[in-house]
Amino acid sequence: MTENNSMSNAEPSISEQQAIRKEKLNQLRELNVNPYPYSYDVTHTSAEILADEDSYITTTPDEPGDAKRVSVAGRVMTRRIMGKASFFTLQDSKGTIQVYIRRDDVGVEEYNKVFKKMVDIGDIVGIKGYVFKTGTKETTIRAEEFEFLSKTIRPIPTPKEVENEDGEKVTYDAFTDKEQRYRQRYVDMIVNPDVRDTFRKRTQIVQTMRNMMNERGYLEVETPILQPIYGGAAAKPFVTHHNALDMDLYLRIANELYLKRLIVGGFDGVYEFSKDFRNEGLSRFHNPEFTQVELYVAYKDYNWMMDFMEEMIEKVALALHGSTTVTVGENEINFERPWPRIPMYEAIENETGHDLSGKTTEEIFDIAKSLHIDVDESMGKGKLIDEIFGETVEHKLIQPTFITDYPIEMSPLAKKHRTKEGLVERFEAVCNGKEIANAFTELNDPVDQRERFEEQARLKADGDEEAMAVDEDFLRAIEYGMPPTAGIGIGIDRLAMIMTNSDSIRDVLFFPQMRPE
RNA sequence: GAAUCGGUAGCUCAGCUGGUAGAGCAACGGCCUUUUAAGCCGUGGGUCGAGGGUUCGAACCCCUCCCGAUUCACCA
């Protein structure tokens, strides 16, 4: 970053429309109208009225008598002014409802000088009135009182949705520029209501998972984000500095090692929804900060964890869609239990015809070359196998699938397989061609763990930036004894992408990372 | 980091082999008391992403840079 500070926000020159709207603020105050009052008594949302409209509608709107009164608040999204009466669409958090406002209902001054002259699309207003159906059978609130709640001084995009002859919805002037949608998510949410729906679903995913873990009696905990030693995953960290301690700290890349300390401490099950940070590239699938849930359960192994995950994700699909089947792009993905469980070597053999079990590093290297996979001499056995899997198998796994039993070289925190030499008890859940979870029977043999860390340290010394550091405190913890434990990390962003049929991680993050404007 | 495509009014977009910018919606002034992309008449609005170059003349051609999307590479 240079001298010219990109954090500063010099006020840009304003458009004609902004100038006009600012002037309206002065005019409103001259009319003794507060453009920014303090509260409003909202009795109904648009959705509550529309869901039960028969109980609200009066058939004699010109003589409403004791028809039910409603007050709603929201944003003016469209306007149709016809002289002495007008229609406008009011959008609140639950949807939209049409409002009909007449000069002779709200008063000449209020209608002519305030409503007609001062209201812009985007303004937040409150309406009190009663409900009727128009000639074209649209349920509409007839306003008896109108109030400004917040005057907008910046024009918002004005998309228009209409049904064509075939009954299809066509949107004109939709707000589609992705850069602006991400940078100004607030505008995106105002004019693209399905965006709000995506984020509601994301929260529903988290809540469904949290509820299930709570029902099982697992404890939701919080562990440090600022860590003196980062670990628990293979990734490059962000570094920051603590002034008072005069030491560098890392933003966590995973919370695994802290959660396992808590299992040592005596909890049977702990979980944390955690923002993790990895100093790597951005893409459709990667944001520098992302969310995982990690869960550790004592006295269980990875077989149990597969059962648990199936059940949890099936619940999520049902909660969001009322079905185990979810449409993602061109695929129908079915999360109904049980999911196939395929050992990694078997998955590779099924796809390529090569059985890697018992093969030497050199033999696997040659197989990779024969499959036209980009490999080099520096790659270890585990890395080579991972490359082969990634290139030949992973993207083909559309339906949820557990890939089990990984090479020990790639898994320094997982326990050796109880029967298969050279492998660990680890699985990844793959769905729509992408990993959505990673889990193992946790390594609780402290001597073995120390050796694995030392191997990582050798890799780090050889220049592997993603190799783990030896975490002496973590070793000390498991030297005190950690019970047999199953652990899992589930990527919430990836899961949300699948469950909401989003093709970019940016669509499931409110504020994806962007370069400064 | 590389390649491709893109950045023109508040929004969505035109703009030909170079002749200093247009449309619809939005805004502004009128008319209009059941409209719904409301309609009709009229008006204004632009650092054409930024900077340099070529040219009599650049939104357009050339160079550099900024921002974004997509694909690829690393990664969850």
Side-chain angles (χ1 to χ4, degrees):
Chain A
M1 202 151 294
T2 57
E3 291 298 320
N4 101 25
N5 183 354
S6 67
M7 302 287 278
S8 78
N9 270 323
E11 192 167 349
S13 61
I14 64 172
S15 69
E16 177 192 44
Q17 292 197 40
Q18 285 170 274
I20 289 167
R21 289 182 183 214
K22 271 193 162 173
E23 175 54 27
K24 284 179 178 176
L25 288 178
N26 299 329
Q27 294 171 10
L28 280 168
R29 290 182 169 119
E30 279 166 22
L31 290 163
N32 276 323
V33 175
N34 182 355
Y36 303 107
Y38 292 87
S39 67
Y40 190 73
D41 181 24
V42 178
T43 63
H44 294 73
T45 64
S46 59
E48 284 166 355
I49 295 167
L50 295 174
D52 189 24
E53 56 181 34
D54 289 343
S55 80
Y56 292 99
I57 287 171
T58 174
T59 52
T60 56
D62 288 327
E63 290 173 21
D66 58 0
K68 278 189 193 168
R69 291 325 199 253
V70 297
S71 69
V72 298
R75 245 178 237 281
V76 175
M77 297 305 284
T78 66
R79 276 192 316 163
R80 294 172 288 283
I81 295 178
M82 302 165 304
K84 299 176 188 66
S86 301
F87 289 92
F88 64 93
T89 306
L90 194 73
Q91 174 172 286
D92 65 14
S93 68
K94 296 290 165 47
T96 62
I97 192 164
Q98 180 170 262
V99 178
Y100 181 49
I101 182 168
R102 297 160 47 113
R103 184 194 69 183
D104 296 341
D105 290 345
V106 299
V108 176
E109 176 101 342
E110 182 77 1
Y111 182 79
N112 284 336
K113 290 190 177 168
V114 180
F115 177 77
K116 272 173 68 174
K117 290 292 183 187
M118 296 298 143
V119 172
D120 286 298
I121 289 175
D123 287 353
I124 298 171
V125 303
I127 285 296
K128 286 192 175 70
Y130 50 90
V131 183
F132 75 110
K133 260 197 199 273
T134 63
T136 52
K137 301 284 183 265
E138 176 158 353
T139 302
T140 300
I141 302 173
R142 182 152 161 179
E144 293 172 298
E145 292 173 34
F146 165 88
E147 206 171 308
F148 261 102
L149 300 180
S150 186
K151 177 85 191 104
T152 171
I153 59 170
R154 197 182 273 272
I156 65 169
T158 53
K160 308 230 170 168
E161 196 176 69
V162 65
E163 278 185 25
N164 65 13
E165 312 81 65
D166 304 329
E168 294 164 345
K169 282 190 175 174
V170 183
T171 304
Y172 296 85
D173 299 337
F175 182 57
T176 54
D177 184 286
K178 290 208 171 186
E179 179 173 1
Q180 296 210 69
R181 291 181 57 196
Y182 298 144
R183 287 192 193 280
Q184 302 186 44
R185 183 67 90 181
Y186 32 88
V187 176
D188 192 24
M189 291 193 291
I190 292 167
V191 301
N192 294 320
D194 54 316
V195 172
R196 276 180 280 163
D197 194 50
T198 294
F199 286 101
R200 275 198 199 93
K201 286 199 172 98
R202 181 181 170 122
T203 296
Q204 210 179 347
I205 291 168
V206 171
Q207 285 176 346
T208 302
M209 299 172 87
R210 176 177 280 129
N211 288 344
M212 176 169 166
M213 289 186 283
N214 287 345
E215 281 163 17
R216 299 285 187 104
Y218 307 145
L219 189 70
E220 182 166 17
V221 298
E222 293 181 278
T223 62
I225 293 171
L226 296 174
Q227 303 181 348
I229 299 173
Y230 63 94
K236 292 172 210 152
F238 286 92
V239 188
T240 187
H241 189 79
H242 190 281
N243 290 343
L245 293 174
D246 189 23
M247 68 182 290
D248 283 344
L249 290 167
Y250 302 98
L251 274 62
R252 71 177 166 206
I253 59 172
N255 46 4
E256 167 153 2
L257 300 182
Y258 282 95
L259 292 177
K260 284 198 242 183
R261 285 171 171 94
L262 301 182
I263 296 293
V264 169
F267 292 121
D268 278 336
V270 291
Y271 70 93
E272 179 173 14
F273 285 92
S274 67
K275 266 282 180 81
D276 293 340
F277 306 84
R278 297 190 184 173
N279 207 342
E280 291 164 353
L282 287 80
S283 81
R284 202 153 66 84
F285 296 100
H286 301 87
N287 195 65
E289 55 182 289
F290 66 103
T291 306
Q292 283 197 92
V293 61
E294 289 195 37
L295 166 70
Y296 293 82
V297 182
Y299 310 113
K300 305 296 187 189
D301 64 10
Y302 78 143
N303 291 309
W304 177 89
M305 190 60 90
M306 283 187 258
D307 294 341
F308 181 86
M309 173 155 183
E310 284 173 344
E311 184 177 345
M312 181 150 72
I313 303 304
E314 188 188 71
K315 271 190 166 64
V316 167
L318 286 167
L320 264 64
H321 301 284
S323 157
T324 58
T325 304
V326 179
T327 302
V328 183
E330 293 173 353
N331 300 314
E332 292 279 314
I333 296 181
N334 190 351
F335 290 96
E336 187 178 357
R337 293 180 282 170
W339 305 349
R341 301 178 181 191
I342 308 172
M344 188 182 221
Y345 284 163
E346 209 175 285
I348 291 172
E349 188 177 359
N350 290 345
E351 206 56 56
T352 68
H354 293 286
D355 179 7
L356 303 185
S357 52
K359 292 270 195 304
T360 64
T361 306
E362 291 70 30
E363 288 169 321
I364 293 170
F365 183 86
D366 291 340
I367 288 169
K369 287 206 90 164
S370 75
L371 294 167
H372 307 293
I373 294 167
D374 197 16
V375 290
D376 64 69
E377 310 283 346
S378 76
M379 290 180 177
K381 191 174 177 180
K383 182 72 181 163
L384 289 168
I385 294 166
D386 194 38
E387 285 293 319
I388 293 170
F389 176 77
E391 288 297 315
T392 61
V393 182
E394 190 174 30
H395 62 279
K396 293 187 177 165
L397 297 173
I398 301 303
Q399 298 302 322
T401 305
F402 292 115
I403 299 296
T404 66
D405 303 341
Y406 281 62
I408 191 165
E409 296 85 352
M410 315 163 47
S411 312
L413 300 167
K415 198 165 183 169
K416 280 176 183 154
H417 197 281
R418 61 196 77 182
T419 59
K420 297 177 183 171
E421 187 70 27
L423 302 182
V424 291
E425 295 199 352
R426 171 179 176 180
F427 72 80
E428 289 193 3
V430 181
C431 178
N432 205 35
K434 282 279 170 186
E435 176 193 339
I436 58 170
N438 181 23
F440 3 100
T441 305
E442 301 295 336
L443 176 54
N444 64 340
D445 174 341
V447 176
D448 189 0
Q449 182 67 77
R450 181 173 290 279
E451 286 168 7
R452 306 271 199 103
F453 271 144
E454 282 166 358
E455 172 60 21
Q456 289 289 309
R458 277 192 289 277
L459 292 173
K460 204 175 190 72
D462 290 346
D464 184 344
E465 288 183 86
E466 295 186 348
M468 290 180 197
V470 179
D471 188 332
E472 284 294 343
D473 179 69
F474 174 70
L475 286 169
R476 178 167 63 188
I478 63 172
E479 282 167 7
Y480 283 111
M482 183 171 85
T485 299
I488 190 170
I490 301 173
I492 298 297
D493 313 283
R494 294 271 175 93
L495 183 60
M497 284 170 67
I498 291 167
M499 290 291 174
T500 62
N501 192 15
S502 301
D503 58 15
S504 172
I505 196 170
R506 299 182 190 101
D507 292 324
V508 298
L509 297 168
F510 276 123
F511 302 106
Q513 193 63 49
M514 304 284 276
R515 286 198 163 83
E517 284 180 77

